[in-house]
Amino acid sequence: MDNSAFEMHEDAMQNTLPAGKMNTIFRMEKKRRWSLMNIFLVCLLACTITTAVGVLILSLVYTQNSQPHSEVHLGLEARPLQTTPVVQKAVDPKFQFLNHLPKSKVFEFPGGAIQWARYRNDVKDYLSIEEEAFGSSLNSQRSHMTLGTLRIKSNGLRAPHWHFNANEHGYLAQGTAWIGVVDDGGVVTTYNVTAGQVIFFPQNTLHWIKNVGDEDCFFLLFFSTHDELQTLDVDDVFFSMPEDIASRSLKPEGGINFIRTFHKQKEDQGVNLPPNLAELVINPSYVQSPDSLVWRYFYDLKGSKEYRFPGGIIQLAQYWKNASELSSHEQIFSEFLNQHQNALTLSTLRIYNNGLRQPHFHFNANEMGYVISGCAKVGVINTQGITEFNVHIGDVVFFPMGTQHYIKSACDEDLLLILAFSTGDQLQTLDMDDYLQATADHILAQLFFKKQSEFKKIPKFEEDQAINLP
């Protein structure tokens, strides 16, 4: 207050009060000031606590609302599951080695059909968890193997195509076909094949297959990839091409107008058979190229050397380090096969009734097989123990490299399989009787807790017992 008269009066009053009373007044004034300070501090503390609690509550609410929707709605989704629980079906371990191919999806075309035993990137493409288990096994083992069956109707055509990521080896189980191959130099090789013969198409080599017989052709095709097969057909390439690019490349009469006369069919022409084929094609010729070219892509497996055993027969279309026993034509195939990375070896295995392909394993290859006729009991021994299962016509088996396995014929008729091995080198195999005979008997005695002399009871035969009879 700026009134000087008031200040003078106040000072005069202080000067006239006794000293004791002055001290009492001073203490009371000081106490009053501290009481106001305490009230202020308490209020400040209360505001701070209230603010902190509010922030904490908001944080908790935000965190709860920011959780994924699947968790937010978990309670609503879980209620029906209490009355109808979903139980994941366990997959039998045998399906890492077995595929019931006849149960797989059939891809239909105008001129035929294809079925696959293979790995798929999208699990939704599998028809069953058993099929998925087999495909995953091929991929996880890096098997370099895929199998497909190709059926072509009479006069049908597997359209000219090539594969980005695999060599292709085929075995014709039924019918007669005319094959065409165009190599990287533009050289065309054509030849005819009949049942029991083998075809070979290197990776990224254009080829076609035409059924030239009255009955269906049935091919067993093996591809050297454990990933999804990547294929491009010539008609798909043509219709994907800009018209001006196609015209300038081919330079046809009529130029781009001629290119525009081509029309893409609504149905996939992977295996083609036009209904008006007789009007389109007149006097086709199915010429045979010189043997020096043909035998690079062809092998007469049914006419090759038979390796006979007491319980069956094996024939091989493979590379041989020692080619002295091969014909000049077979040497062409053997050497050409070995020039290509990730090539396969093909074989037929015939086991007589009650015959046994004894336990064995392969040093340098995975093995895949298709049952052409008969039936069998198969056993696979790996680090998880033994898995046994039965196979019938159309079934596919897979044996990872180093896995001991055996096959016992279980039908009255002979068992016949077409086998593929993931090596372009000579196949390396060791049979159970061979490795036990090669192991010192005192080592066996110590291992099996059996007297050393007992192992003299295991005979050594002059004739190879790879496939034996009781």
Side-chain angles (χ1 to χ4, degrees):
M1 192 171 184
D2 295 332
N3 192 326
S4 57
F6 179 80
E7 292 175 358
M8 289 175 63
H9 177 70
E10 186 178 22
D11 290 340
M13 289 179 64
Q14 290 176 358
N15 292 332
T16 60
L17 292 172
K21 191 173 184 177
M22 285 290 295
N23 289 336
T24 299
I25 294 173
F26 178 78
R27 285 195 300 271
M28 291 177 64
E29 180 67 15
K30 186 176 181 180
K31 184 176 181 179
R32 183 180 65 82
R33 290 177 181 175
W34 275 109
S35 297
L36 291 174
M37 180 63 70
N38 289 342
I39 293 172
F40 171 77
L41 291 175
V42 169
C43 291
L44 180 62
L45 180 60
C47 290
T48 302
I49 293 173
T50 303
T51 302
V53 171
V55 170
L56 180 60
I57 292 173
L58 289 174
S59 299
L60 291 173
V61 171
Y62 174 80
T63 302
Q64 184 71 18
N65 290 335
S66 65
Q67 295 299 314
H69 291 292
S70 60
E71 293 184 15
V72 171
H73 297 109
L74 184 59
L76 294 175
E77 296 173 355
R79 278 197 291 268
L81 295 180
Q82 294 175 359
T83 57
T84 56
V86 177
V87 179
Q88 182 65 44
K89 181 181 178 182
V91 183
D92 191 317
K94 71 181 181 183
F95 288 107
Q96 62 186 306
F97 310 115
L98 171 66
N99 179 287
H100 292 310
L101 189 59
K103 296 182 179 180
S104 67
K105 181 178 179 179
V106 179
F107 293 85
E108 298 278 1
F109 302 89
I114 298 175
Q115 287 182 285
W116 295 103
R118 65 177 180 178
Y119 168 76
R120 301 172 189 272
N121 289 327
D122 189 346
V123 295
K124 295 179 182 178
D125 290 337
Y126 293 111
L127 292 187
S128 66
I129 57 175
E130 291 82 9
E131 190 179 14
E132 179 186 350
F134 185 82
S136 298
S137 178
L138 294 181
N139 187 259
S140 64
Q141 295 286 345
R142 303 191 62 79
S143 65
H144 291 286
M145 309 195 86
T146 287
L147 182 144
T149 60
L150 169 63
R151 185 175 296 278
I152 308 177
K153 300 174 184 178
S154 179
N155 290 316
L157 169 70
R158 174 62 183 101
H161 64 283
W162 64 92
H163 308 290
F164 288 62
N165 61 336
N167 301 298
E168 178 180 353
H169 300 249
Y171 175 86
L172 181 55
Q174 173 188 298
T176 305
W178 186 63
I179 309 296
V181 186
V182 183
D183 68 15
D184 57 356
V187 177
V188 181
T189 301
T190 56
Y191 57 94
N192 295 278
V193 294
T194 57
Q197 296 178 327
V198 166
I199 56 178
F200 170 57
F201 308 127
Q203 181 176 335
N204 286 319
T205 299
L206 187 145
H207 56 280
W208 68 80
I209 304 173
K210 163 79 174 179
N211 184 344
V212 294
D214 294 330
E215 64 177 340
D216 288 358
C217 279
F218 186 66
F219 281 92
L220 301 168
L221 304 176
F222 298 89
F223 302 87
S224 60
T225 181
H226 49 260
D227 294 320
E228 278 203 354
L229 186 64
Q230 300 176 16
T231 302
L232 201 56
D233 289 1
V234 166
D235 60 330
D236 292 329
V237 174
F238 182 86
F239 289 112
S240 299
M241 193 84 62
E243 293 175 341
D244 62 321
I245 299 299
S247 177
R248 289 188 58 179
S249 300
L250 301 177
K251 299 186 183 301
E253 292 183 14
I256 197 170
N257 290 327
F258 174 78
I259 299 298
R260 288 171 178 167
T261 63
F262 290 80
H263 303 287
K264 186 175 178 63
Q265 302 297 311
K266 293 181 179 180
E267 195 171 4
D268 192 329
Q269 297 297 305
V271 189
N272 158 286
L273 184 58
N276 61 337
L277 182 62
E279 300 174 10
L280 302 174
V281 178
I282 301 174
N283 298 324
S285 61
Y286 304 114
V287 298
Q288 182 92 355
S289 297
D291 287 347
S292 58
L293 294 177
V294 170
W295 279 80
R296 296 188 301 170
Y297 310 107
F298 164 85
Y299 192 83
D300 185 15
L301 185 58
K302 68 179 180 182
S304 66
K305 180 179 178 179
E306 294 182 343
Y307 294 87
R308 291 185 169 273
F309 305 90
I313 303 171
I314 293 176
Q315 290 179 285
L316 290 159
Q318 69 165 5
Y319 166 73
W320 295 92
K321 291 181 179 179
N322 181 3
S324 60
E325 295 186 8
L326 301 179
S327 69
S328 58
H329 291 152
E330 290 173 335
Q331 288 180 22
I332 294 173
F333 180 84
S334 173
E335 293 170 2
F336 190 70
L337 194 68
N338 190 245
Q339 293 171 14
H340 293 85
Q341 186 177 9
N342 296 328
L344 304 177
T345 290
L346 260 59
S347 168
T348 53
L349 170 63
R350 182 179 295 278
I351 304 178
Y352 305 144
N353 176 34
N354 209 28
L356 170 70
R357 176 63 182 101
Q358 70 159 284
H360 64 284
F361 64 92
H362 308 291
F363 289 75
N364 62 335
N366 299 292
E367 178 180 353
M368 180 179 280
Y370 177 95
V371 181
I372 297 176
S373 63
C375 62
K377 173 170 281 189
V378 174
V380 184
I381 302 172
N382 59 12
T383 54
Q384 281 73 50
I386 184 170
T387 302
E388 285 190 315
F389 51 89
N390 296 316
V391 295
H392 301 85
I393 295 174
D395 284 339
V396 177
V397 293
F398 170 60
F399 307 125
M401 187 186 309
T403 299
Q404 182 159 288
H405 52 280
Y406 56 86
I407 305 172
K408 183 182 180 300
S409 179
C411 288
D412 292 336
E413 64 177 322
D414 289 354
L415 174 70
L416 179 61
L417 296 99
I418 177 70
L419 304 174
F421 303 88
S422 61
T423 180
D425 293 324
Q426 189 165 322
L427 186 63
Q428 299 172 8
T429 302
L430 190 60
D431 290 352
M432 180 178 177
D433 65 336
D434 290 331
Y435 66 71
L436 285 179
Q437 290 284 358
T439 304
D441 54 10
H442 64 87
I443 296 296
L444 296 174
Q446 181 173 338
L447 175 63
F448 291 105
F449 292 79
K450 212 166 179 59
K451 290 183 178 180
Q452 185 174 346
S453 59
E454 290 289 301
F455 292 93
K456 303 297 184 184
K457 296 179 181 180
I458 300 177
K460 188 170 185 178
F461 294 91
E462 292 185 5
E463 189 176 13
D464 195 326
Q465 298 294 305
I467 312 175
N468 69 21
L469 287 171

